[in-house]
Structure formats: C-alpha cells, structure tokens
C-alpha cells in the first residue's frame, strides 16, 4: 500500500487539482507539468504504489483505469494518444501512487528515452 503522496493528498482534498473525470474508483486530473497539449493522470482511489504491488484482486480496477483513460482521451477530443505507467524510479516514477499518464495532442516519437 502507498504511504502519503502528493496524489493521496489530492484524493483527500488537501491539495487542489484540475479535475477531468471522477468516479468511485478513480480520479483523473491534468498533469502540472504537461508534456503535450493533453496530459492527464488517471489514478486509483485505492493507494496502490505501482504495478509491482498489484494483486489479482486488482484486475477489475486496472481494467477500469484503462477504460477511463480512453474516456478521457475521447473527452479531450484526441484519437491518437499514449498511455504510460512508469514503474519504479529507474523507469521515471516520481510519485509512488499508481497512475496512468494519458498523453496526446501532438505527434509523439518512439522509442521513449
Ligand atoms: P511519474 O514521473 O510517472 O511518477 O509521474 C508523476 C507525474 O505527476 C509527473 O508528470 C508530474 O508532473 C505530476 N505531478 C506531480 N505533482 C502533481 C500535482 N500536484 N498535480 C498534478 N500533477 C502532478
């Protein structure tokens, strides 16, 4: 389970966010340092650290996060976009509460750095 992070404080209402979507399982809000015209983070309300920590009981929740990512992209009016889940510090994870980046609105290069 994740300890207190910036994202758990957003979920608790202690910190503000630019909300895009919310339901009983997750919250989506704009990244404060957007890497593209659309850059939204979808986070579970459950305090999961990252994909290394998930268990089979999280299967529905993980699927739900991807469905919400797709819903967010539609809402933002983009048809090409990338989802990113950084797992661990060496992969670029800086906030240790699971989150799905939804990035789009410009041409994206591959492979990532
Ligand atoms: P990651 O590097 O994959 O852990 O992604 C963490 C993301 O959270 C980064 O893209 C940050 O810009 C973003 N971020 C950090 N603090 C906030 C915040 N208070 N509100 C929105 N996004 C944030």
């Amino acid at each position: 389970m994740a300890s207190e992070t910036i994202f758990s404080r957003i979920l608790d209402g202690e910190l503000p966010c630019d909300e895009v979507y919310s339901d009983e399982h997750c919250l989506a809000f704009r990244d404060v340092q957007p890497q593209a015209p659309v850059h939204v983070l979808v986070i579970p309300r459950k305090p999961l650290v990252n994909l290394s920590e998930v268990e089979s009981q999280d299967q529905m929740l993980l699927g739900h996060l991807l469905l919400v990512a797709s819903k967010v992209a539609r809402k933002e009016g983009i048809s090409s976009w990338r989802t990113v889940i950084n797992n661990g510090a060496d992969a670029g994870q800086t906030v240790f509460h699971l989150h799905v980046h939804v990035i789009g609105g410009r041409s994206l290069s591959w492979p990532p750095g």
Side-chain angles (χ1 to χ4, degrees):
M1 284 286 173
S3 49
E4 188 176 83
T5 63
I6 292 171
F7 292 173
S8 66
R9 296 182 67 201
I10 288 173
L11 286 168
D12 289 345
E14 286 172 35
L15 290 177
C17 73
D18 188 353
E19 183 180 313
V20 173
Y21 175 88
S22 175
D23 66 26
E24 62 180 319
H25 301 297
C26 70
L27 176 67
F29 53 90
R30 297 190 194 285
D31 196 295
V32 278
Q33 285 189 292
Q35 302 302 312
V38 175
H39 190 168
V40 173
L41 303 171
V42 183
I43 72 172
R45 294 189 181 280
K46 182 175 176 178
L48 295 166
V49 173
N50 56 30
L51 286 180
S52 293
E53 305 279 320
V54 300
E55 297 176 307
S56 46
Q57 68 198 30
D58 299 313
Q59 182 170 332
M60 292 283 282
L61 176 58
L62 292 171
H64 184 71
L65 296 178
L66 291 182
L67 280 174
V68 169
S70 179
K71 194 176 285 196
V72 163
R74 263 201 307 279
K75 203 170 167 184
E76 295 291 311
I78 53 174
S79 55
S80 288
W81 41 280
R82 185 175 292 166
T83 51
V84 174
I85 303 175
N86 292 323
N87 192 86
D90 280 349
Q93 185 175 9
T94 57
V95 179
F96 287 82
H97 181 118
L98 181 65
H99 50 282
V100 181
H101 296 257
V102 180
I103 301 168
R106 68 168 169 83
S107 188
L108 300 169
S109 61
W110 189 263

